[in-house]
Amino acid sequence: MSVRIALAGNPNSGKTTLFNALTGSNQFVGNWPGVTVEKKEGRLKGHKEVTIVDLPGIYSLSPYTLEEVVARRFLLEEKPDVILNIVDGTNLERNLYLSTQLLELGIPVVLAVNMLDLLEKSGDQVHIGKLKEKLGCEAVEISALKGNGVMKAAEKALSLAREKKAAPKPCPFQSRVEESLLRVQEELKGMVPEEQKRYFAIKLLERDEQIQKLLPRAVDAGGEIARLEEDMDDDTESIITNERYQYISSIMQDCCRKAARKDTLTLSDKIDKIVTNRILALPIFAVIMFLVYYVSVTTVGDWLTGWTNDTLFGEWIVPGVSSGLAAIHCADWLTSLVADGIVAGVGAVLGFVPQMLVLFLFLAVLESCGYMARVAFIMDRIFRKFGLSGKSFIPMLIGSGCGVPGIMASRTIESDRDRKMTIMTTTFVPCGAKLPIIALIAGAFFGNAGWVAWSAYFVGIAAIVCSGIILKKTRMFAGDPAPFVMELPAYHLPTPGNVLRSMWERGWSFIKKAGTVILLSSIVLWFLQGFGWVDGRFGMLEAEQLENSILAYIGNGIAWMFAPLGWTQGGEGWKMAVAAVTGLIAKENVVTTFGILFGYAEVAEDGAEIWTRLSAVMTGAAAYGFLVFNLLCAPCFAAMGAIKREMNNAKWFWFAIGYQCGLAYLVSLCIYQLGTWVTTGAFGPGTVIAILVVLGFFYLLLRPAREGSRRPAGMKMAAGGR
Ligand code: GDP
Ligand code: MG
């Protein structure tokens, strides 16, 4: 008989550790259907017929985060055979809040009290026998990290499933609440399975609109809610939350014994006193990130990337491929396709992989030891002000090196809305590949002034902040920022296995998926750039004949769109358009393309030679607008691939790309039109449009926020715990 065990628990309770211990390498990672929440499934070691489904880490079964919705849909609709509920034994009271809800689903539950090793060290005690008796479900003590009791927990779950044990009895509420529940359950007759009635009734009382959607027809609990609220002088959600905590604290008294401590501060608390200190937090963080960057980007990573590019590709693969192709007398175009198109294009991207792996390794260490949770906590104070969560900071920071790992780092953001917003805005931060564009424009138009680079970062950050504020006011992203209840877990020594696994999962998905996007785009670009019409005949072009390429035709076709941005001086606007398009493939291409188009291919690297030429075809305002356009518009193909993968939804992907391009266009329009007005006094229809755009922008920025969704009462209390 095949059995499905659902693994449920709070974030940081040790779920991943337990999951890895139970499944070994028999696991598959994907996404839940239709959403970007990570889905992990695996087979229990030594039991091929047993599947373990790792649910997202959640604090409750309410509808406030996508994770909660995913988890409860799975539990209600797919009805796993048994729930293995992992709770952090050092934080039992908080963790049991979810357990009281899991017990209501009509599914057998095994409670796995984790962190046994820490409990033993601290001298605190959890009476497993009493806990079992009080909760009326199976319970075992485990240490997921050390592997103690792990298999026993799984086997308990397995035998419950096999024996088809009845579900546990849910936690009782006071009689007035029970009365209301009974009446709502009466209404639900025949609509939901008997064993799920209580859960549905509770959710209906809590005004959970999402739960209505799971019912065959609408149930109006309004009258019952009104009476209960009247009688108990509180809102139903708080009433029920309160009942749960009352019940939990009555259990805690009997089941837990705290060791007497001389010093109530644990080591973790002491570290936190320094690390999250209001004044020291930011400098400490800056130093740590500097070190991480220094090692992964500047030293070790750079060395590895250099080796990959110069030795692996430069000395082995490229010459090997070339001589191999020459040996078999391959046609010129095929040699060019393989060597200049595929190997060069894909190689340039794969060259980033070693650097990224080193970076991911550090991030995995920082994440699993618990430091990232602190960073998010520190940054949250600032980021909340414009509607993002503190966790968005890490992706943006990484994005200043390269947008691809930056976008991928957004995985650690649990709230779906915040994650989508972060994915959309992370690439506004100038990445390494945009620096040559900045240098070129600064050199050609502004006498190499330092403010150009500085202002580019400022524009990027301003775009993030303003997007945050504006998007939060739209219906799509409306609602209070998810209450920040991430508890600060005790610091842990990370295990090499988990760290390496996490590094590899991220790295491999980059190699696999971004690799395919890059492969395709390299081929397409190679073709568009390398082929065209010379004297009426279609064929392969020499490097200097780029003006004849298909790409140039495309550029000419779209140049009119950029006329309002001032890219048309001297009839050479198409070159700017082509540069912007090749920039979509890789931002480095912008400078290279300029070099080729303006006839200085060989000196394109430092740009100095094309300064004079460039400054003859664009005004300063247009050039700065061009720079900003390239900073804000859709990123390179690799990053777009990452966006597509992380959004996991075509509609959202196009929305993100459209938003970025639209914003880039409008901002550079305003820069050009208003800049021209200020510098030359020329006033035209374009100026009027730009002024209207600016006014519209301020309206969107300053209009009152929409009414936020109700704040989850349970989470409020959970957050107050610390
Ligand atoms: P998740 O968020 O629920 O997936 O939690 P993780 O599995 O990532 O665990 C969070 C942290 O707790 C990690 O640093 C683990 O190494 C650590 N951890 C998990 N189980 C135990 C345990 O039994 N004992 C100790 N000391 N640490 C543990
Ligand atoms: Mg985890």
Side-chain angles (χ1 to χ4, degrees):
M1 185 189 90
S2 72
V3 171
R4 257 190 325 179
I5 302 179
L7 192 60
N10 288 12
N12 277 310
S13 56
K15 244 159 32 65
T16 303
T17 314
L18 178 61
F19 180 77
N20 290 343
L22 289 177
T23 58
S25 53
N26 311 313
Q27 36 180 282
F28 351 100
V29 184
N31 276 309
W32 292 89
V35 293
T36 40
V37 180
E38 191 165 87
K39 175 175 193 171
K40 277 194 179 181
E41 260 183 48
R43 303 229 184 273
L44 180 60
K45 265 192 218 160
H47 297 263
K48 274 218 298 291
E49 75 290 4
V50 180
T51 313
I52 301 187
V53 181
D54 186 24
L55 296 180
I58 47 175
Y59 294 102
S60 95
L61 287 179
S62 319
Y64 295 112
T65 68
L66 190 67
E67 284 67 21
E68 292 170 346
V69 174
V70 165
R72 77 177 191 183
R73 279 201 95 118
F74 179 81
L75 293 169
L76 287 174
E77 289 173 22
E78 311 244 338
K79 295 190 200 140
D81 300 288
V82 55
I83 297 173
L84 185 54
N85 175 206
I86 181 165
V87 295
D88 177 352
T90 63
N91 215 334
L92 199 56
E93 191 158 2
R94 167 106 39 101
N95 278 242
L96 284 177
Y97 184 68
L98 174 67
S99 309
T100 59
Q101 301 177 53
L102 294 172
L103 288 169
E104 284 158 0
L105 295 169
I107 299 172
V109 174
V110 175
L111 196 72
V113 180
N114 191 27
M115 315 264 177
L116 183 60
D117 53 324
L118 291 184
L119 279 175
E120 280 171 352
K121 223 191 254 165
S122 67
D124 293 347
Q125 279 181 338
V126 174
H127 284 285
I128 252 336
K130 284 231 176 85
L131 199 59
K132 238 195 293 205
E133 183 189 311
K134 291 269 172 190
L135 285 173
C137 69
E138 281 297 337
V140 283
E141 284 178 302
I142 66 167
S143 169
L145 189 65
K146 307 262 148 87
N148 298 338
V150 167
M151 271 301 160
K152 192 172 149 212
E155 275 153 19
K156 268 260 163 62
L158 207 52
S159 66
L160 280 191
R162 293 237 159 92
E163 290 159 25
K164 298 237 174 287
K165 270 276 170 56
K169 134 180 118 1
C171 87
F173 300 149
Q174 63 155 293
S175 55
R176 175 65 191 85
V177 181
E178 291 288 345
E179 272 169 35
S180 289
L181 276 178
L182 267 183
R183 279 195 285 269
V184 179
Q185 287 186 50
E186 206 46 38
E187 301 259 327
L188 284 168
K189 209 170 224 163
M191 292 171 78
V192 294
E194 192 58 36
E195 71 274 12
Q196 292 182 349
K197 261 191 186 165
R198 185 180 174 88
Y199 179 77
F200 274 90
I202 292 173
K203 289 294 141 187
L204 284 173
L205 273 190
E206 287 180 337
R207 294 192 177 85
D208 182 335
E209 277 156 26
Q210 296 243 4
I211 213 79
Q212 290 272 12
K213 289 190 208 142
L214 300 180
L215 294 171
R217 65 196 142 74
V219 170
D220 182 16
E224 203 52 56
I225 293 173
R227 262 168 282 148
L228 185 60
E229 292 190 339
E230 170 80 42
D231 286 355
M232 298 193 56
D233 194 25
D234 202 348
D235 67 300
T236 46
E237 218 181 335
S238 306
I239 295 171
I240 288 170
T241 304
N242 205 21
E243 290 295 312
R244 292 190 196 283
Y245 275 110
Q246 295 252 310
Y247 177 68
I248 291 168
S249 59
S250 75
I251 292 180
M252 291 298 290
Q253 281 179 356
D254 291 341
C255 301
C256 282
R257 186 128 293 121
K258 291 254 180 228
R261 289 204 190 92
K262 288 182 227 79
D263 181 1
T264 47
L265 283 186
T266 63
L267 181 62
S268 265
D269 291 337
K270 282 185 209 153
I271 300 176
D272 273 342
K273 279 216 135 166
I274 303 170
V275 166
T276 62
N277 177 289
R278 276 194 179 262
I279 298 159
L280 291 177
L282 284 176
I284 292 177
F285 174 64
V287 169
I288 290 180
M289 281 327 278
F290 171 78
L291 287 178
V292 166
Y293 252 85
Y294 184 71
V295 175
S296 59
V297 178
T298 323
T299 56
V300 179
D302 191 47
W303 176 77
L304 279 174
T305 297
W307 182 83
T308 315
N309 284 337
D310 301 339
T311 310
L312 186 63
F313 277 92
E315 284 174 26
W316 299 346
I317 297 184
V318 175
V321 169
S322 302
S323 59
L325 290 172
I328 56 168
H329 302 293
C330 215
D332 275 355
W333 68 267
L334 189 58
T335 311
S336 161
L337 168 63
V338 175
D340 306 334
I342 297 177
V343 175
V346 175
V349 175
L350 287 186
F352 281 119
V353 168
Q355 217 169 14
M356 265 165 63
L357 287 181
V358 177
L359 187 63
F360 287 156
L361 180 73
F362 279 109
L363 292 180
V365 170
L366 290 181
E367 212 173 303
S368 76
C369 77
Y371 183 67
M372 280 305 183
R374 271 80 187 176
V375 172
F377 175 77
I378 299 162
M379 288 299 160
D380 201 60
R381 291 178 204 145
I382 303 166
F383 273 54
R384 282 188 82 76
K385 298 211 169 75
F386 52 91
L388 276 174
S389 110
K391 287 196 163 188
S392 308
F393 183 73
I394 307 287
M396 287 166 194
L397 190 80
I398 297 171
S400 65
C402 172
V404 175
I407 290 162
M408 296 197 347
S410 64
R411 286 215 168 174
T412 53
I413 303 173
E414 280 103 19
S415 151
D416 185 56
R417 265 191 324 219
D418 291 359
R419 183 174 48 227
K420 288 206 167 104
M421 201 137 94
T422 308
I423 295 172
M424 283 173 60
T425 53
T426 294
T427 53
F428 289 156
V429 177
C431 71
K434 289 173 185 166
L435 297 183
I437 313 180
I438 299 175
L440 178 75
I441 300 291
F445 294 90
F446 304 106
N448 249 339
W451 66 263
V452 181
W454 178 85
S455 70
Y457 281 91
F458 179 78
V459 167
I461 292 164
I464 292 172
V465 172
C466 296
S467 297
I469 297 172
I470 289 175
L471 289 175
K472 270 283 163 182
K473 292 182 182 176
T474 63
R475 199 173 51 201
M476 228 175 329
F477 291 95
D480 289 344
F484 198 69
V485 287
M486 185 172 58
E487 64 192 76
L488 298 181
Y491 286 98
H492 295 276
L493 269 187
T495 53
N498 274 352
V499 167
L500 289 176
R501 198 190 298 259
S502 148
M503 171 187 94
W504 183 244
E505 269 170 19
R506 286 183 192 166
W508 179 237
S509 76
F510 172 76
I511 297 172
K512 225 171 31 189
K513 303 261 181 59
T516 48
V517 176
I518 287 296
L519 178 65
L520 259 177
S521 70
S522 315
I523 296 174
V524 171
L525 177 69
W526 169 82
F527 178 75
L528 294 180
Q529 221 170 21
F531 283 78
W533 292 266
V534 185
D535 304 328
R537 284 219 326 277
F538 184 80
M540 212 168 137
L541 305 171
E542 303 294 324
E544 323 71 77
Q545 295 173 319
L546 188 60
E547 298 202 23
N548 295 339
S549 65
I550 309 175
L551 199 60
Y553 280 85
I554 297 174
N556 272 311
I558 58 173
W560 59 269
M561 284 197 287
F562 299 104
L565 310 191
W567 301 3
T568 41
Q569 252 80 9
E572 304 201 69
W574 71 272
K575 296 186 178 177
M576 258 69 82
V578 166
V581 171
T582 58
L584 294 183
I585 291 152
K587 292 294 168 196
E588 295 94 331
N589 283 349
V590 173
V591 175
T592 321
T593 309
F594 269 157
I596 298 169
L597 290 176
F598 287 100
Y600 289 96
E602 58 290 346
V603 289
E605 294 293 293
D606 64 12
E609 296 288 323
I610 56 174
W611 286 358
T612 26
R613 274 282 197 109
L614 248 188
S615 55
V617 299
M618 270 195 288
T619 63
Y624 193 77
F626 178 80
L627 170 63
V628 169
F629 183 86
N630 278 291
L631 289 184
L632 301 184
C633 79
C636 63
F637 268 150
M640 283 194 256
I643 293 178
K644 176 139 177 36
R645 192 168 58 255
E646 295 304 314
M647 287 289 192
N648 195 29
N649 174 317
K651 223 174 65 201
W652 273 102
F653 168 71
W654 288 112
F655 176 72
I657 300 296
Y659 178 79
Q660 293 166 341
C661 292
L663 183 74
Y665 190 89
L666 290 179
V667 174
S668 74
L669 176 93
C670 293
I671 291 176
Y672 172 65
Q673 297 291 353
L674 300 179
T676 307
W677 183 30
V678 170
T679 50
T680 68
F683 192 94
T687 326
V688 177
I689 294 175
I691 291 172
L692 290 178
V693 170
V694 171
L695 290 178
F697 166 77
F698 278 108
Y699 166 72
L700 289 177
L701 198 63
L702 300 176
R703 73 185 168 138
R706 295 173 69 88
E707 180 92 345
S709 57
R710 286 161 56 86
R711 201 173 241 264
M715 302 181 93
K716 223 168 25 192
M717 289 191 67
R722 183 173 273 266

